[in-house]
Amino acid sequence: MSGISKEKEFEDAVGQYGDLINKICFYFSDDTVEFNDLRQEVLFNIWRGWDHFLQNSKRSTWIYRVSFNTCISFQRKEKKFKKTLPLENVLENRVDDSEDKKDKYKVLFSLIKMLPYNDRAILLMWLDEKSYEEISELTGLNRNTVATRLKRIKEKLVKMNTEN
């Protein structure tokens, strides 16, 4: 390390990428307690892996990957297969959106929450405007596999929406 302590580097990164970490944890949690547990687990895993970050990718990409993998692992370990996501607090703060648009967000996020965790992770990265290449790098999947999976996920969401 170049003169900056590990603790300071970590603290700076959490400050810089805290919103990203929060957003990923939010996608995988249904309430404040679960969000806080997930966030704590993500921060612990980032800290634990800090010395092993090899600089062969951007720090933000590495943090994104650790966050997603931690959330997926946490959900599998806890065997929490919840079907809804309470978005009232988030959507109430979106004053620029109409009630109709807020209702559509609620439907979309409740459908996303019904997807398997790996599909949800891929879709959420795509919604975060990650390229197929970035998603491939983050998930370890081939780029063409990412494209195919996204197509199938979108088709599944359309089907789920028409069935409700």
Side-chain angles (χ1 to χ4, degrees):
M1 276 184 263
S2 62
I4 300 176
S5 72
K6 174 183 174 181
E7 292 81 8
K8 178 69 173 140
E9 278 187 349
F10 177 77
E11 186 180 302
D12 290 347
V14 170
Q16 184 175 1
Y17 301 112
D19 288 344
L20 172 70
I21 294 166
N22 289 343
K23 180 169 49 171
I24 293 167
C25 292
F26 174 78
Y27 287 148
F28 286 91
S29 62
D30 286 340
D31 57 46
T32 304
V33 171
E34 189 173 46
F35 169 83
N36 289 331
D37 288 347
L38 274 171
R39 189 170 190 286
Q40 181 84 14
E41 191 76 16
V42 166
L43 292 174
F44 174 75
N45 285 337
I46 291 170
W47 174 256
R48 191 173 64 185
W50 196 258
D51 292 331
H52 304 291
F53 174 65
L54 300 175
Q55 308 284 335
N56 57 353
S57 65
K58 294 189 298 187
R59 174 95 48 203
S60 61
T61 301
W62 180 78
I63 288 174
Y64 204 102
R65 187 175 207 165
V66 170
S67 299
F68 260 106
N69 290 338
T70 300
C71 289
I72 289 170
S73 295
F74 184 88
Q75 292 297 335
R76 283 184 183 150
K77 182 175 69 181
E78 297 296 316
K79 295 186 178 164
K80 294 183 179 187
F81 299 101
K82 297 179 177 118
K83 300 293 182 190
T84 60
L85 175 64
L87 295 174
E88 293 78 22
N89 295 341
V90 173
L91 295 175
E92 285 173 6
N93 295 331
R94 295 184 62 107
V95 294
D96 57 326
D97 290 337
S98 67
E99 285 303 312
D100 184 51
K101 198 170 188 179
K102 288 179 185 180
D103 289 340
K104 288 179 182 178
Y105 282 133
K106 287 179 184 179
V107 169
L108 175 63
F109 281 103
S110 68
L111 292 173
I112 289 172
K113 289 294 276 188
M114 290 192 280
L115 293 171
Y117 292 111
N118 291 335
D119 288 351
R120 186 186 314 174
I122 291 169
L123 180 65
L124 294 174
M125 285 185 257
W126 180 76
L127 289 172
D128 276 342
E129 299 179 359
K130 299 288 184 198
S131 69
Y132 287 2
E133 289 76 16
E134 289 173 304
I135 296 170
S136 175
E137 181 182 340
L138 289 164
T139 61
L141 297 172
N142 176 290
R143 187 219 179 270
N144 290 339
T145 302
V146 169
T148 301
R149 298 252 321 253
L150 270 170
K151 182 179 183 299
R152 289 180 183 157
I153 293 165
K154 291 177 202 175
E155 289 170 351
K156 186 186 295 186
L157 283 173
V158 169
K159 184 179 179 190
M160 290 166 58
N161 190 40
T162 57
E163 291 174 353
N164 289 336

